[in-house]
Amino acid sequence: MGHGVPELVLESNGRTWTLDPSRSYALGRDPQGELVFDDARVSWRHATISFNGRGWVVEDHGSTNGTFVHGQRVQQMELGAGTVLNLGNATDGPRVSLTGAQAPAGAPQAQPQQQPQQPQQQPYAAQGANAGWAQQAPPAQEPFQQQAPQQAPQHGQQHQAQQAGWQQQQPPQQVAPQPQQAAPHFPQQQGPGGAAGAPPVHGDRSPTTFHQFSLGRVMRIGRALENDLVVSDLQVSRNHAEFHSTPDGRMEIRDLGSHNGTYVNGQPIAKGGTQLLGPTDVVGVGHSTFQIVGDRLEEFVDTGEVSFSARHLTVTVDGGKQILKDVSFGVPEKSLIAVIGPSGSGKSTLLKALTGYRPADQGEVLYDNRNLYKQFAELRQRIGLVPQDDILHKELTVKKALKYAAKLRFPADTTGAERNARIDEVLRELKLDIHKDKKVTSLSGGQRKRVSVALELLTKPSLIFLDEPTSGLDPGMDRDVMQLLRGLADDGRTVLVVTHSVAELATCDKLLVMAPGGSVAYFGPPEEALNFFGYDTWADVFSAFENYRDYDWAGRWKGSQHYQMYAADLDAVAPQSVQVPPMQAMRPPKPQGWMSQFVTLVRRYTSVIASDKGFLALMVILPAVLGAVSLLIDADKGLLPNPANPQTGRIIPNGTATTVLLILAVGACFAGAANSVRELIKERVIYERERATGLSRSAYLMSKVFVLGLITVFQGLLVGVIGFASREIPDEGLILGGATLVELSLPIMALGFASMMFGLVISSLVKTAEKTMPLLVMFAIIQVVFTGCLFALNDAVGVNQFSYLMPSRWAVGAAGATLDFNRISPPEKGAEADPLWEHTVGAWGMDMAALIVLGVICGFFVARFLRRHEPEVMRK
């Protein structure tokens, strides 16, 4: 070091370096920097230390959580011997001490002053190759003695395997040399709604913006430019909320009827309601939060760079069995995390617990230090979830599918231009703009997955979870998808992906390996995982999981040095005893009103049907064919009573009338049920995701009933007109006078509608679309038996009462009342006439009313069955 230059020595967690004044030193999480701190509170490029010609200076580069000197936040400050820096937190952030150098002057670069004492606890990663200072590597650790061959013993090798040490069911263990990266350190405090007396929700982060607040002034927040505080966030209504002071000098927040809600400490306030604010209360509006500090309003905008951690997550099912056991891990902002593990390791359960779909029974999930479960109603807007199956209507074009999704997710006062601008922005980001006019079904598997991700990015989530996004993709598409996720994380999001593919794990920042039974077997850098398990390939690791399911994988993990470095600090903190609010309080508000959702869903469903030319053709051809089949039955015979037998005086039964009506009724049943039997099951994944974003269950169901009802009624009319028009029918009906053809067609139309509702019941019950066809055939056959046309039902005790549950019984009864079936097909001598066939207005009205009641009952059951396929927090 040259003469006159004050020597400076950096000391951090047991290591010291002498700095070279001819260069500057970058501090942050960037692996290319000189001093790398793997801590959630440290920004990517946090600060630099350099010599400015007069002295050493530290300069903060707009870090999120700040740089502190002796507890005071600084932007730029000269340094000297005795100065102490804290990064990210004034009290427990990574600590850097500065002293006078002990090395001889003129040293060309920093030299190590002492050996590390506890390298596994250091809050930074060694980057000596890129730094201008030297750093001595930590001493290599001798690996544990391997206890057995690296593959499970086969039947013929059992004796040798026992001699190798497998008799204790201990899988081969080999611990990698001591890792070089330290664990991310997470602040221990809770945000509002956490522990009592918790510090501010944003820790020591600087506010994005300050707004001066004067007493007596009203400050309105919203998306419209005329607001005092304009928030350019499509999740925010045009006029969302306002702050104002009360006569006693206190402050309160008033919701202005916002669509996505206004939140205080994560809890929604009533639409149009007000709530008094205390000094520590945090108001949430869209992606922004506000806190009143003195006479100013501090705004924090969630731009996506948030930390995320899970602590002691445990899920217990009926019978007391734990399917997720004490899972803890944490990641800093802008991270990509992969979760792998064998079947039965709890990956899906973990995903539901992390997203709030099915909250864990014990433990907590922290979103940037905020309890996700307690503040789910607000934070759910910042979480994106891409299920394994595509959440898209494949019959639509890419842009049209995103248009309807945006219409459902954004507030009702969002203009079409605003929605289109956001859609175009997302398409450009994911390089889908060249495919926007293509149908989703024409895209490759990787491109469809990009569209699913695009749908979730519309609302700018900070956390994105993906369940098996590369399932079924070839290795090239697998790489493309993982590179896409890497880019999403680098752009300022936290991305967690559950996957079975291990080919691209090196793309991730951290890897979580789940063991059978739902416990953690490893968490840390992916490149160190195989050495940790002592195997050469992941196939060997998964074989060991399968062969040694009873082995204490979690205990092995917690006894390792990797655990001390990457998870011990999280496990050391017991989860706060926070009372999770009732499910009703966790349910998100509906961004759209019921009627607006209904209209959007009807338009989308109509577009899906209109784009399916095959379905449109079948919609017309099927009823036409079914109606035409009835014409093959004595085409020249009418549907009137035959004259009485001159010898006995009894009416001669007209078998043609009952046979024709039987065929028309069965045709209407089959057409109606076939229209709907697949509709709910094929959209189940889409419904689950949209329900979690505020979709109304009743609006969704009614959109199906409305569109399918119109189609089915049209088909019923077609069947009835074709079947009845060419035959001789009574001149006068019971209800409509001379319009007998219409009166006979009405029961067929109502039967088709009721059968369509039965089809929806089937579709809501089955687990796969393949199971719908056998049930459809069975339904149609049962309707044939219980029409009353094959044999008399009126005198069959039990059977007759059961037939009242069948829509075909009532439809044939209504048509039979118009045609006077008790005369056309009189009962056997001594038997009673069927009351459903009485040629009276009352009988006809009762038959039609029963069809409507059956349809309503089916609708009720469909709504109940739909609940089983919703996130638990959405169930009432």
Side-chain angles (χ1 to χ4, degrees):
M1 194 170 289
H3 295 290
V5 178
E7 298 174 345
L8 194 69
V9 175
L10 261 65
E11 180 179 356
S12 180
N13 204 6
R15 291 187 179 183
T16 54
W17 301 268
T18 302
L19 303 189
D20 181 357
S22 64
R23 57 168 300 157
S24 61
Y25 296 84
L27 288 69
R29 286 189 5 262
D30 185 356
Q32 302 304 316
E34 282 72 27
L35 280 77
V36 183
F37 296 82
D38 193 2
D39 188 291
R41 298 164 294 180
V42 178
S43 295
W44 194 254
R45 300 285 290 181
H46 195 101
T48 57
I49 295 178
S50 60
F51 186 75
N52 64 2
R54 300 186 308 274
W56 291 96
V57 176
V58 62
E59 181 179 0
D60 186 282
H61 292 294
S63 64
T64 303
N65 291 322
T67 302
F68 300 85
V69 175
H70 301 298
Q72 299 297 316
R73 185 165 185 165
V74 299
Q75 185 64 35
Q76 187 175 26
M77 181 177 178
E78 291 193 3
L79 304 173
T83 303
V84 176
L85 298 178
N86 285 91
L87 306 181
N89 188 284
T91 56
D92 65 346
R95 177 186 175 97
V96 180
S97 301
L98 297 99
T99 62
Q102 302 302 315
Q109 59 181 10
Q111 299 293 333
Q113 299 298 311
Q114 63 183 31
Q115 294 293 336
Q117 300 302 314
Q118 295 293 336
Q120 71 271 19
Q121 297 177 355
Q122 293 166 16
Y124 53 85
Q127 301 290 336
N130 297 324
W133 37 271
Q135 175 184 330
Q136 182 164 334
Q141 175 188 340
E142 290 294 324
F144 288 159
Q145 184 67 34
Q146 191 167 348
Q147 298 296 318
Q150 291 196 6
Q151 293 185 355
Q154 303 297 323
H155 293 293
Q157 300 172 324
Q158 187 165 359
H159 178 67
Q160 293 89 334
Q162 288 178 348
Q163 290 181 346
W166 289 87
Q167 67 272 19
Q168 298 301 323
Q169 288 198 340
Q170 181 167 337
Q173 300 182 34
Q174 178 177 346
V175 177
Q178 184 170 308
Q180 299 299 307
Q181 277 190 314
H185 181 75
F186 290 87
Q188 308 300 330
Q189 66 266 23
Q190 292 278 331
V201 67
H202 304 285
D204 294 303
R205 288 188 179 177
S206 297
T208 308
T209 314
F210 298 102
H211 306 278
Q212 203 63 32
F213 198 92
S214 58
L215 190 63
R217 178 187 170 194
V218 174
M219 182 175 288
R220 177 168 293 187
I221 305 171
R223 207 173 68 248
L225 296 178
E226 63 267 16
N227 288 284
D228 303 296
L229 203 163
V230 179
V231 180
S232 56
D233 179 358
L234 293 185
Q235 296 283 62
V236 177
S237 298
R238 298 187 65 81
N239 295 288
H240 196 103
E242 62 184 18
F243 290 95
H244 60 92
S245 58
T246 61
D248 60 359
R250 302 175 67 184
M251 301 301 300
E252 66 180 8
I253 181 71
R254 173 179 297 163
D255 182 82
L256 299 178
S258 63
H259 297 278
N260 278 326
T262 303
Y263 303 84
V264 175
N265 299 331
Q267 301 302 309
I269 64 176
K271 180 172 285 193
T274 61
Q275 184 167 329
L276 286 170
L277 299 175
T280 62
D281 288 336
V282 176
V283 176
V285 174
H287 285 79
S288 298
T289 51
F290 302 89
Q291 192 166 15
I292 298 175
V293 179
D295 60 349
R296 70 181 184 181
L297 185 67
E298 296 184 351
E299 178 184 4
F300 299 82
V301 180
D302 183 349
T303 58
E305 297 185 355
V306 298
S307 60
F308 181 73
S309 61
R311 296 180 179 176
H312 304 286
L313 296 184
T314 299
V315 174
T316 305
V317 295
D318 294 339
K321 180 181 179 181
Q322 290 185 344
I323 56 177
L324 201 66
K325 300 178 182 177
D326 197 28
V327 174
S328 297
F329 68 94
V331 291
E333 59 197 44
K334 300 171 68 172
S335 295
L336 173 60
I337 311 98
V339 180
I340 64 172
S343 298
S345 59
K347 299 188 300 296
S348 296
T349 303
L350 175 63
L351 193 63
K352 292 178 181 179
L354 295 177
T355 57
Y357 267 40
R358 197 286 188 194
D361 300 304
Q362 299 175 33
E364 59 189 359
V365 177
L366 298 182
Y367 173 100
D368 210 26
N369 211 37
R370 302 174 67 182
N371 189 292
L372 176 65
Y373 296 160
K374 187 169 180 62
Q375 305 187 30
F376 181 80
E378 177 187 355
L379 296 180
R380 61 97 195 175
Q381 303 178 52
R382 309 185 194 184
I383 296 176
L385 173 62
V386 181
Q388 181 174 348
D389 297 323
D390 295 325
I391 46 178
L392 307 158
H393 289 90
K394 298 179 182 179
E395 302 85 355
L396 301 179
T397 64
V398 170
K399 186 160 187 179
K400 187 170 285 188
L402 295 180
K403 183 186 76 171
Y404 286 119
K407 177 71 173 173
L408 288 171
R409 296 191 182 197
F410 289 138
D413 60 5
T414 309
T415 64
E418 289 174 317
R419 290 194 298 269
N420 288 332
R422 178 58 188 156
I423 291 171
D424 292 338
E425 182 182 352
V426 170
L427 289 175
R428 286 193 300 271
E429 180 181 359
L430 299 183
K431 298 179 176 60
L432 286 170
D433 46 339
I434 60 176
H435 303 294
K436 64 181 180 181
D437 294 321
K438 295 180 182 178
K439 284 190 175 182
V440 175
T441 188
S442 68
L443 302 178
S444 67
Q447 289 168 342
R448 284 202 301 271
K449 193 57 64 178
R450 281 178 178 265
V451 179
S452 292
V453 173
L455 192 151
E456 289 301 311
L457 291 185
L458 289 174
T459 54
K460 296 185 178 181
S462 302
L463 287 177
I464 302 177
F465 296 89
L466 300 99
D467 187 10
E468 299 286 355
T470 60
S471 177
L473 302 184
D474 61 48
M477 290 183 180
D478 183 355
R479 178 187 302 167
D480 290 342
V481 171
M482 293 303 291
Q483 291 295 336
L484 164 68
L485 303 184
R486 177 71 265 170
L488 293 178
D490 293 339
D491 287 342
R493 305 174 183 93
T494 299
V495 183
L496 185 144
V497 52
V498 174
T499 180
H500 277 113
S501 174
V502 296
E504 301 296 328
L505 293 180
T507 310
C508 304
D509 298 303
K510 292 290 189 294
L511 174 64
L512 175 66
V513 183
M514 301 294 293
S519 57
V520 176
Y522 172 82
F523 177 72
E527 63 270 15
E528 298 176 11
L530 284 175
N531 280 339
F532 173 84
F533 287 107
Y535 289 103
D536 294 327
T537 67
W538 282 108
D540 295 330
V541 176
F542 278 53
S543 294
F545 281 148
E546 180 63 28
N547 295 331
Y548 298 92
R549 300 185 71 89
D550 294 332
Y551 179 71
D552 186 10
W553 295 100
R556 179 178 186 270
W557 157 243
K558 291 188 175 181
S560 69
Q561 295 183 17
H562 281 73
Y563 171 80
Q564 294 297 325
M565 300 181 67
Y566 300 115
D569 58 337
L570 287 173
D571 266 1
V573 181
Q576 302 293 328
S577 56
V578 177
Q579 182 65 39
V580 176
M583 290 297 177
Q584 184 70 18
M586 295 176 69
R587 295 176 66 245
K590 297 178 178 61
Q592 302 274 337
W594 189 95
M595 184 55 68
S596 177
Q597 287 193 6
F598 172 76
V599 171
T600 300
L601 291 167
V602 167
R603 291 177 58 193
R604 182 177 69 179
Y605 193 28
T606 303
S607 297
V608 170
I609 292 175
S611 65
D612 189 347
K613 302 299 189 291
F615 180 81
L616 289 175
L618 188 64
M619 183 179 72
V620 177
I621 294 174
L622 179 62
V625 170
L626 293 172
V629 167
S630 69
L631 298 179
L632 302 176
I633 310 299
D634 294 332
D636 57 340
K637 291 199 66 175
L639 305 180
L640 300 174
N642 287 327
N645 187 316
Q647 296 181 353
T648 63
R650 286 181 55 79
I651 298 294
I652 301 175
N654 184 350
T656 300
T658 54
T659 304
V660 167
L661 200 54
L662 172 65
I663 292 174
L664 296 181
V666 172
C669 283
F670 187 82
N675 286 338
S676 61
V677 76
R678 287 176 177 262
E679 288 307 302
L680 298 183
I681 181 63
K682 75 179 184 181
E683 290 187 1
R684 183 161 296 170
V685 177
I686 299 175
Y687 172 72
E688 288 177 0
R689 182 64 193 126
E690 291 182 341
R691 182 77 174 120
T693 62
L695 178 69
S696 166
R697 182 194 308 138
S698 59
Y700 175 79
L701 178 56
M702 288 307 298
S703 71
K704 296 293 184 187
V705 172
F706 180 77
V707 176
L708 291 174
L710 289 179
I711 293 173
T712 304
V713 167
F714 164 75
Q715 291 176 323
L717 178 62
L718 197 59
V719 169
V721 169
I722 293 175
F724 293 125
S726 62
R727 298 183 184 274
E728 188 178 2
I729 57 177
D731 295 330
E732 292 289 331
L734 284 170
I735 304 298
L736 302 180
T740 310
L741 178 61
V742 177
E743 185 176 315
L744 286 172
S745 298
L746 282 176
I748 304 300
M749 296 157 66
L751 174 59
F753 182 86
S755 299
M756 180 270 294
M757 297 300 295
F758 270 89
L760 288 178
V761 172
I762 295 173
S763 191
S764 64
L765 280 174
V766 296
K767 294 183 178 180
T768 61
E770 289 74 17
K771 295 180 180 179
T772 58
M773 287 300 102
L775 293 174
L776 173 61
V777 173
M778 183 177 68
F779 172 76
I781 292 175
I782 291 176
Q783 300 311 305
V784 173
V785 174
F786 290 101
T787 55
C789 297
L790 296 180
F791 57 89
L793 292 171
N794 189 46
D795 294 328
V797 179
V799 176
N800 185 41
Q801 285 70 32
F802 181 75
S803 73
Y804 293 159
L805 300 176
M806 303 298 135
S808 62
R809 175 81 163 102
W810 299 99
V812 171
T818 298
L819 294 173
D820 197 1
F821 260 21
N822 282 330
R823 290 186 60 208
I824 288 179
S825 183
E828 297 292 334
K829 190 172 184 179
E832 295 183 2
D834 194 329
L836 272 62
W837 291 356
E838 289 291 338
H839 188 59
T840 62
V841 173
W844 189 92
M846 179 182 67
D847 293 334
M848 293 297 290
L851 282 171
I852 296 173
V853 170
L854 282 175
V856 172
I857 293 174
C858 286
F860 171 79
F861 280 111
V862 173
R864 299 294 294 178
F865 294 148
L866 277 176
R867 292 177 65 252
R868 302 185 310 162
H869 310 298
E870 297 175 356
E872 188 169 325
V873 296
M874 300 301 297
R875 303 174 191 171
K876 294 183 180 178

